[in-house]
Amino acid sequence: MKKSDFDFSKPIRQSYIAIAIIVYKTFKVIFRQALPFVLIFFLGKGSKTVDYILYPVIVLSLISLVLSIIGYFRFYFYIKGNELIVQKGVIKRKTLNIDFDRIQTINFEQNLIQQIFGVVGLVVDTAGSKKNEFSFDALDRDMAVALRDTILSAKRKQNTSDTPLEKSSITQEEESLISILKLEIPDLIKIGVSQNHLRSLGLIIAFFFWVGDNLRQAGINSEQYAEDYFMDLSNPFTFMLFMFPLLILVSFVISLITTVFKYFDLNLWRGSKGFKISSGLFNKKEVAAMDHKIQMITWSDNPLKRLLGIKDLHFKQASSEEVNSKKSISVAGCYDHHIQAVKRHYFKKHAFDHLQEFEIDRRYIYRQVLYFGLIPGLILITIPILFSEASLLWFCLASIFWIAYSFITNTVKHKKRRYSINKSVFHMKKGLFGNSEYLLKLLKIQNIQITQTFYQRRQQLANLKLYTASGNVTVPYIDLNQAQSLRDYLMYKVETNKEKWM
Amino acid sequence: MIFENQQINTDSLPKVSDLIFLKVEPKYVTVSMIASIVFWGFLFLAAFILKLYVFEERKGEGIIGGNFEYVLILIGALAIISTYLSIQGAKVKSYALRQNDILFRTGYIWYKEIAVPFNRIQHSEVVQGPIDRLFDLSTLKIYTAGGSQSDLKIPGLKPQKANQLKEIVTLKVGQNEEE
């Protein structure tokens, strides 16, 4: 490794570009907070209430801006021994000593401004503390790389006698990386098209309600505006006819655009100890998912995605020893062979040998239909009986439809719910319209629960829940004996395994 | 279809179902009963005051206005059911300690059996609430990285017993880390 050209033993400030970043960040926060007021300002045209709100906002934002700029000049960092030392604080000076040992990963981030000026934001993820992240706003790229390498090489020297797992923190620039996935423009379009548009639609509707609510609070009648500028929306039929396709179109475009922003130039690489993912158009992100931090790998699709043959892959990570915040890294637009490649790299060679697959009990369907189909269906029928003006026929039809729907969906859910296990991995599949799969190493299991309802106890059935440091997997309605012997086996595997789970 | 494995015969594995589970202190049943009665008692009292001072004047207004007695009856019925269930639930609570893990049973309607291996425990503590202190009982809490849903809470232990269990757990966790 080349000797770094930077002297980190003396206190260093961040790049001057950091001021721009800080200003940008402050304004972003203020803008978000003040958006309703800004809208009011433009729509309300000088109503008195606006002055009372707007001026304090301006004053407060100026104060916070000045404070954050002073903050830049009071921010220093240097390396002393095996610690990264950071001094900061405007009024109250604060010194952070971050032991290299505690540094888990160092990730690079670049938003548009950082890209233009050729600087990077550095996110240092540490283990143990509540506030487990620490970030630099802007460092020259060379300096950032040098800093990362310095910390890593020091960490490595320190840990040569330790377990090999601990050495592994970050994928290196000079380390040979194997490319697994690279998204091209056609892939991006595929991903954008197959997003869950209903979710974006919901977000849009929520946004409109939020804006409308804020406007109403400020004494502006948004419906009046809508009528003036668009059309008479009082007729629900015309509303549906015009607005619904429009909203669908808008949500389609929005999810397409956000997909392009988020997954632009997505790359997934494999290093020797983990995966590296970089993506983003304006907000370039480079993150590492180390093997020892990954607790579970999941992938899922929906009917549209299945048609196109793509899946969303997620690396579920535990972020720190205390696991306050859970981290999941998503890789959209994976084909089957990409997932196979990820599996091949993450798991050991014979990890999938002798995998035995099981299904869950049929009584799952009966119970689900009873609770979510039959009982609500019967309640639906009682409505016309209690309130005589409602039509019995329609409610009966609705009820029958609901029960039938419930039966069909639960039959599909039962059929799709499968789990398989061997001596090193646990794999579960489930789904209704889409499919989801969960795959984890047995040693990542934190604890195991067997649960039973009254009914299940009578029927000698049980649910098996496996908890990991990044979510749990539930296998419902299996034979009690099966659940118990699985539990005994899994406990045995966890207890005899000497590998670290993180 | 029962799970089997080529390398290890599952029949030879240590079985949880053969274990003898130790029940928590019988006093704990009383404690849960009192806790439930106190909670529902306050709720009932609040509803009763509401009936006397608010709904009496508005008799006949709206749906609940005239029939507030039914709300009281409903609360009373729920109180009895809930108290009964918490008594039954307290009776189910039991634990077992093995060489490599700790197990806990809880839940009357929704039965749950939690198993935590010692080599996955983050830390443990003994806590005592106000009612606990009155009855000289303690709760042992064991945390794993599996999230708050999966933390183990063994209530109704004598403080001495709880501390003893905590020491055993700490010792076992320490041994695991040394290896």
Side-chain angles (χ1 to χ4, degrees):
Chain A
M1 189 189 289
K2 64 173 190 288
K3 188 89 186 99
S4 78
D5 308 324
F6 299 93
D7 182 12
F8 290 113
S9 60
K10 294 192 185 79
I12 312 170
R13 274 198 195 120
Q14 300 183 72
S15 161
Y16 281 109
I17 312 300
I19 299 177
I21 312 283
I22 292 164
V23 171
Y24 165 73
K25 272 189 179 170
T26 318
F27 268 112
K28 211 166 96 179
V29 172
I30 292 167
F31 183 72
R32 253 187 222 156
Q33 307 270 326
L35 188 64
F37 303 123
V38 174
L39 281 174
I40 292 161
F41 185 71
F42 286 114
L43 290 170
K45 283 173 193 135
S47 84
K48 266 279 188 295
T49 49
V50 171
D51 295 349
Y52 295 122
I53 303 163
L54 201 64
Y55 293 130
V57 167
I58 291 173
V59 171
L60 277 178
S61 42
L62 280 177
I63 291 172
S64 61
L65 193 64
V66 171
L67 280 180
S68 42
I69 291 171
I70 296 172
Y72 164 79
F73 288 102
R74 310 264 295 172
F75 182 104
Y76 293 99
F77 69 93
Y78 58 95
I79 289 173
K80 194 178 167 192
N82 266 323
E83 283 181 339
L84 173 66
I85 296 167
V86 175
Q87 290 176 332
K88 62 176 185 177
V90 178
I91 296 156
K92 210 172 146 193
R93 294 293 281 167
K94 212 161 104 184
T95 308
L96 290 175
N97 293 34
I98 304 160
D99 201 309
F100 289 169
D101 259 0
R102 276 176 46 223
I103 294 175
Q104 293 272 333
T105 49
I106 300 175
N107 291 328
F108 287 176
E109 260 180 47
Q110 263 189 317
N111 62 24
L112 191 60
I113 298 176
Q114 285 162 333
Q115 278 180 57
I116 291 169
F117 291 105
V119 293
V120 292
L122 213 67
V123 181
V124 180
D125 195 0
T126 65
S129 62
K130 271 253 159 68
K131 198 177 163 16
N132 57 25
E133 272 196 356
F134 171 80
S135 62
F136 294 95
D137 288 311
L139 293 179
D140 290 324
R141 191 163 181 112
D142 295 341
M143 189 194 272
V145 171
L147 180 66
R148 184 172 73 171
D149 291 347
T150 310
I151 292 173
L152 285 179
S153 61
K155 225 172 128 76
R156 191 162 307 151
K157 250 177 244 155
Q158 206 178 338
N159 285 331
T160 36
S161 58
D162 226 0
T163 49
L165 262 175
E166 288 298 311
K167 282 201 292 186
S168 60
S169 261
I170 295 107
T171 38
Q172 289 284 292
E173 293 282 295
E174 52 267 85
E175 192 182 77
S176 62
L177 292 167
I178 307 159
S179 174
I180 296 177
L181 170 78
K182 188 173 162 53
L183 288 186
E184 307 289 349
I185 299 294
D187 301 320
L188 278 177
I189 292 169
K190 270 189 190 175
I191 297 164
V193 167
S194 62
Q195 286 297 313
N196 188 350
H197 298 297
L198 289 177
R199 196 169 47 199
S200 337
L201 186 68
L203 283 177
I204 291 169
I205 291 170
F207 176 75
F208 277 126
F209 273 108
W210 177 72
V211 169
D213 200 42
N214 276 307
L215 290 177
R216 229 183 332 279
Q217 276 174 17
I220 297 156
N221 187 352
S222 51
E223 275 154 39
Q224 189 60 47
Y225 272 92
E227 273 173 44
D228 288 353
Y229 291 113
F230 301 107
M231 62 189 111
D232 183 13
L233 298 175
S234 55
N235 184 339
F237 185 71
T238 44
F239 178 79
M240 287 296 276
L241 202 66
F242 285 97
M243 288 309 281
F244 204 64
L246 189 70
L247 279 178
I248 297 249
L249 190 72
V250 169
S251 54
F252 178 80
V253 171
I254 285 179
S255 37
L256 198 63
I257 291 170
T258 48
T259 307
V260 172
F261 280 9
K262 197 172 164 195
Y263 295 118
F264 184 79
D265 195 30
L266 187 141
N267 273 288
L268 172 66
W269 293 284
R270 173 69 196 182
S272 61
K273 293 284 193 292
F275 299 92
K276 190 172 135 183
I277 298 113
S278 77
S279 70
L281 182 57
F282 295 125
N283 252 319
K284 246 191 175 164
K285 268 193 179 174
E286 195 180 296
V287 290
M290 308 312 301
D291 283 355
H292 66 284
K293 284 181 90 184
I294 298 171
Q295 305 294 314
M296 206 191 310
I297 293 178
T298 72
W299 58 93
S300 57
D301 63 12
N302 59 30
L304 267 175
K305 283 188 208 286
R306 197 158 53 246
L307 220 64
L308 298 165
I310 56 173
K311 291 184 172 88
D312 287 340
L313 178 70
H314 304 274
F315 296 101
K316 305 259 184 191
Q317 302 196 92
S319 73
S320 73
E321 209 85 49
E322 281 185 15
V323 200
N324 294 312
S325 54
K326 279 154 194 167
K327 279 191 180 172
S328 170
I329 298 174
S330 324
V331 182
C334 290
Y335 290 96
D336 261 334
H337 68 268
H338 296 130
I339 287 165
Q340 292 307 327
V342 167
K343 275 163 76 176
R344 210 166 44 239
H345 287 298
Y346 176 64
F347 292 96
K348 282 180 188 148
K349 211 170 180 187
H350 296 289
F352 296 99
D353 291 356
H354 310 295
L355 210 57
Q356 264 181 289
E357 194 177 67
F358 302 94
E359 49 186 44
I360 61 169
D361 198 275
R362 269 196 82 78
R363 278 166 280 187
Y364 170 80
I365 307 173
Y366 309 146
R367 276 283 126 168
Q368 292 290 107
V369 171
L370 176 67
Y371 291 141
F372 302 107
L374 219 53
I375 292 174
L378 290 177
I379 290 172
L380 207 60
I381 294 181
T382 59
I383 293 173
I385 295 167
L386 287 176
F387 306 95
S388 50
E389 58 262 47
S391 154
L392 186 65
L393 179 72
W394 283 109
F395 275 89
C396 278
L397 281 177
S399 167
I400 288 165
F401 174 77
W402 176 250
I403 293 165
Y405 174 80
S406 157
F407 181 75
I408 292 165
T409 51
N410 280 303
T411 310
V412 174
K413 272 157 101 179
H414 168 260
K415 206 180 156 204
K416 284 192 175 177
R417 182 79 78 138
R418 295 284 169 92
Y419 64 99
S420 33
I421 180 178
N422 66 9
K423 62 186 166 67
S424 52
V425 299
F426 186 87
H427 188 171
M428 191 180 75
K429 300 172 185 171
K430 70 170 194 179
L432 176 57
F433 299 112
N435 295 310
S436 312
E437 296 192 33
Y438 304 78
L439 189 55
L440 61 116
K441 291 180 182 173
L442 298 187
L443 75 107
K444 302 284 182 181
I445 293 169
Q446 294 289 331
N447 64 54
I448 301 169
Q449 297 186 4
I450 288 179
T451 64
Q452 283 179 307
T453 60
F454 235 63
Y455 169 80
Q456 287 176 327
R457 216 168 331 158
R458 278 206 311 274
Q459 300 279 326
Q460 291 290 298
L461 289 169
N463 311 313
L464 185 73
K465 283 189 177 188
L466 310 180
Y467 284 83
T468 75
S470 56
N472 56 338
V473 180
T474 305
V475 185
Y477 286 83
I478 55 174
D479 187 77
L480 180 62
N481 288 326
Q482 168 84 341
Q484 278 170 346
S485 59
L486 272 173
R487 193 255 317 265
D488 289 340
Y489 180 70
L490 291 172
M491 291 296 282
Y492 164 79
K493 288 307 274 186
V494 171
E495 283 156 10
T496 50
N497 199 309
K498 294 281 175 250
E499 251 182 275
K500 281 201 169 130
W501 63 271
M502 193 176 112
Chain B
M1 192 159 44
I2 292 294
F3 172 74
E4 272 174 78
N5 194 285
Q6 280 79 7
Q7 275 76 30
I8 299 141
N9 181 9
T10 41
D11 291 338
S12 66
L13 284 178
K15 274 191 191 136
V16 173
S17 43
D18 299 341
L19 272 174
I20 297 159
F21 275 74
L22 301 170
K23 289 227 179 322
V24 300
E25 291 296 315
K27 268 193 290 185
Y28 181 70
V29 179
T30 323
V31 173
S32 351
M33 191 177 72
I34 290 171
S36 174
I37 289 172
V38 166
F39 172 79
W40 286 99
F42 269 113
L43 208 69
F44 190 82
L45 204 68
F48 192 68
I49 291 168
L50 213 65
K51 176 187 152 53
L52 277 188
Y53 293 98
V54 181
F55 286 102
E56 205 56 33
E57 292 166 21
R58 296 205 206 159
K59 219 163 168 79
E61 283 177 39
I63 302 172
I64 34 172
N67 308 307
F68 202 69
E69 295 81 20
Y70 292 125
V71 177
L72 287 185
I73 291 168
L74 187 73
I75 291 174
L78 281 177
I80 291 165
I81 293 168
S82 155
T83 306
Y84 173 75
L85 289 180
S86 59
I87 291 168
Q88 293 300 323
K91 284 181 185 165
V92 175
K93 287 189 189 348
S94 53
Y95 63 94
L97 211 61
R98 293 197 295 181
Q99 205 178 350
N100 291 314
D101 46 41
I102 183 163
L103 298 118
F104 181 57
R105 287 176 174 167
T106 180
Y108 178 60
I109 290 193
W110 285 283
Y111 174 79
K112 192 156 88 173
E113 203 172 281
I114 312 169
V116 180
F118 287 136
N119 58 358
R120 292 291 180 274
I121 291 174
Q122 299 279 314
H123 69 278
S124 54
E125 61 184 22
V126 175
V127 293
Q128 204 176 33
I131 301 179
D132 283 345
R133 203 163 306 143
L134 233 80
F135 284 84
D136 195 32
L137 288 174
S138 288
T139 302
L140 175 68
K141 286 188 178 180
I142 290 175
Y143 299 92
T144 69
S148 57
Q149 243 194 317
S150 66
D151 290 332
L152 194 71
K153 255 181 276 176
I154 309 180
L157 296 169
K158 279 188 182 149
Q160 190 199 347
K161 184 81 192 167
N163 283 312
Q164 190 196 343
L165 282 175
K166 182 180 176 282
E167 262 162 44
I168 295 170
V169 168
T170 315
L171 199 75
K172 291 280 188 187
V173 174
Q175 274 174 4
N176 268 309
E177 268 167 14
E178 269 168 36
E179 277 168 19

